[in-house]
């Protein structure tokens, strides 16, 4: 009897292990390339620079909304090797990043910091009295710079050297942003919305998404989204979302992702897991 109970327990234990392992299995559309923890602490965002062929990683360094001046940005090659530790430092909680004409724009709680990439120096800071928790940045080829506020009620735009309100949001605060001519894709608590930049109206692109952190375009009206629980999906309008990565079983977050369309590489910052992982996205 005892032997039978033990065998039943062992079978249940093995099944449990298999189920837990299944939770973090990457889709066969993804191939893991590398993961790095070197020099990273509370990794929130990754940005690929196609000119220099490097990646920037924002490290909050523990406290996401505290002005403690211990946050920093590291600079890595595309294999994850660190090139410059604390390339830019004395930020408080750097999050979303965007590139425009040799400048790196970074949200830092209630302000946006502009950095001269060549000089590795902060040029200026943009502030607005209604900004609360600025989070993501989306930059277009036309030079427009948009900024989300994940605890506020506005989306902002940097225009003519000023951070100003673009529009009030509908359906709650916005975190992730992705800009296409004439519209913004906006990640909210449980949906991706589309903001028409002409009419300033918001409509649902896809719902039942979980709390969206990052949005990136893949092409052909297909997008990658990450949610705070640790999942990464491919989405298209009026189609079921496709799960690519699920780290929720390991209690690992998927923060503000990046996608390099030239090499089809997805970068996933894991926030409190203090790492960045890179995955090859295979074509169907």
């Amino acid at each position: 009897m005892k032997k039978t109970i033990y065998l039943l327990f062992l079978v249940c234990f093995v099944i449990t292990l298999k189920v837990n392992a299944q939770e973090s299995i990457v889709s066969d559309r993804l191939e893991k390339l590398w993961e790095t923890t070197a020099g990273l602490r509370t990794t929130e965002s990754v940005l690929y620079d196609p000119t220099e062929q490097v990646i920037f990683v924002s490290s909050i360094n523990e406290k996401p909304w505290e002005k403690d001046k211990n946050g920093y940005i590291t600079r890595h090659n595309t294999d994850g090797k660190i090139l410059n530790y604390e390339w830019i430092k004395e930020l408080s909680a750097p999050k979303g990043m965007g590139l425009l004409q040799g400048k790196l724009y970074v949200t830092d709680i209630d302000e946006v910091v502009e950095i001269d990439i060549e000089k590795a120096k902060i040029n200026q800071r943009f502030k607005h009295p209604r900004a609360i928790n600025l989070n993501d940045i989306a930059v277009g080829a036309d030079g427009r710079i948009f900024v989300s506020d994940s605890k506020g009620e506005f989306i902002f735009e940097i225009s003519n050297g000023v951070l100003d309100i673009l529009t009030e949001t509908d359906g709650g605060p916005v975190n992730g942003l992705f800009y296409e001519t004439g519209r913004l894709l906006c990640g909210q608590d449980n949906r991706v919305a589309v903001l028409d930049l002409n009419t300033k109206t918001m409509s649902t692109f896809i719902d039942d998404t979980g709390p969206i952190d990052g949005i990136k375009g893949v092409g052909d009206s297909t997008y990658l989204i990450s949610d705070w629980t640790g999942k990464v999906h491919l989405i298209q309008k009026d189609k079921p979302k496709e799960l690519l990565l699920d780290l929720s079983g390991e209690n690992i977050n998927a923060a503000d992702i990046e996608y390099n369309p030239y090499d089809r590489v997805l970068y996933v910052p894991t926030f409190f897991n203090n790492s960045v992982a890179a995955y090859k996205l295979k074509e169907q």
Side-chain angles (χ1 to χ4, degrees):
M1 182 67 177
K2 288 183 178 179
K3 185 177 180 180
T4 301
I5 293 173
Y6 173 76
L7 288 173
L8 286 172
F9 172 79
L10 185 61
V11 168
C12 291
F13 179 71
V14 170
I15 290 173
T16 301
L17 284 179
K18 287 184 177 180
V19 169
N20 289 337
Q22 291 283 341
E23 291 177 347
S24 60
I25 285 178
V26 176
S27 161
D28 59 9
R29 289 207 57 190
L30 286 184
E31 174 190 354
K32 190 169 185 178
L33 302 176
W34 51 260
E35 184 168 4
T36 182
T37 60
L40 305 178
R41 192 158 182 82
T42 322
T43 47
E44 206 283 336
S45 182
V46 181
L47 185 69
Y48 172 68
D49 182 345
T51 301
E52 299 293 326
Q53 295 189 359
V54 299
I55 60 172
F56 299 102
V57 179
S58 61
S59 280
I60 292 171
N61 199 359
E62 293 191 334
K63 298 175 182 177
W65 302 112
E66 188 168 310
K67 292 190 176 184
D68 49 20
K69 294 293 182 182
N70 69 355
Y72 55 92
I73 296 171
T74 52
R75 188 170 166 270
H76 304 247
N77 69 15
T78 53
D79 292 325
K81 181 181 178 181
I82 194 163
L83 300 174
N84 303 98
Y85 175 67
E86 291 191 338
W87 176 71
I88 296 293
K89 57 183 181 179
E90 294 188 359
L91 301 171
S92 289
K95 297 183 180 68
M97 298 181 283
L99 284 169
L100 181 64
Q101 298 176 350
K103 306 295 190 299
L104 179 67
Y105 295 85
V106 186
T107 58
D108 194 17
I109 304 183
D110 59 354
E111 62 183 7
V112 177
V113 177
E114 180 191 275
I115 299 165
D116 186 305
I117 293 174
E118 184 178 358
K119 296 178 180 178
K121 180 182 178 182
I122 294 175
N123 279 343
Q124 57 181 320
R125 299 171 185 267
F126 302 92
K127 296 188 177 185
H128 192 281
R130 301 297 296 275
I132 302 173
N133 288 340
L134 301 181
N135 206 308
D136 202 11
I137 292 182
V139 178
D142 57 2
R144 299 190 73 176
I145 305 172
F146 301 96
V147 185
S148 69
D149 191 328
S150 57
K151 289 194 177 180
E153 54 188 17
F154 301 107
I155 295 173
F156 296 86
E157 181 176 7
I158 296 176
S159 181
N160 298 316
V162 175
L163 180 67
D164 207 353
I165 292 173
L166 172 71
T167 187
E168 189 171 356
T169 59
D170 177 22
V174 170
N175 189 339
L177 291 176
F178 183 73
Y179 175 50
E180 296 175 323
T181 302
R183 70 179 195 169
L184 268 177
L185 270 68
C186 305
Q188 296 183 292
D189 183 50
N190 200 34
R191 73 166 181 168
V192 174
V194 176
L195 171 66
D196 186 307
L197 292 172
N198 295 315
T199 64
K200 301 297 192 299
T201 57
M202 294 182 74
S203 58
T204 298
F205 182 83
I206 186 172
D207 57 17
D208 192 26
T209 61
I212 296 299
D213 202 310
I215 307 174
K216 297 298 173 184
V218 176
D220 298 324
S221 299
T222 303
Y223 307 90
L224 288 159
I225 58 171
S226 57
D227 72 64
W228 184 243
T229 65
K231 298 183 179 70
V232 176
H233 288 87
L234 269 175
I235 62 168
Q236 291 178 293
K237 181 71 173 175
D238 299 324
K239 290 187 178 181
K241 58 186 184 293
E242 179 183 352
L243 181 64
L244 297 181
L245 183 67
D246 186 356
L247 302 170
S248 60
E250 302 171 59
N251 294 317
I252 296 174
N253 305 114
D256 188 9
I257 56 174
E258 172 64 310
Y259 180 66
N260 168 3
Y262 310 101
D263 300 319
R264 298 184 64 86
V265 177
L266 165 69
Y267 299 100
V268 181
T270 61
F271 211 75
F272 288 125
N273 203 52
N274 304 317
S275 71
V276 170
Y279 302 85
K280 185 81 169 184
L281 178 61
K282 302 174 185 177
E283 297 188 45
Q284 285 183 316

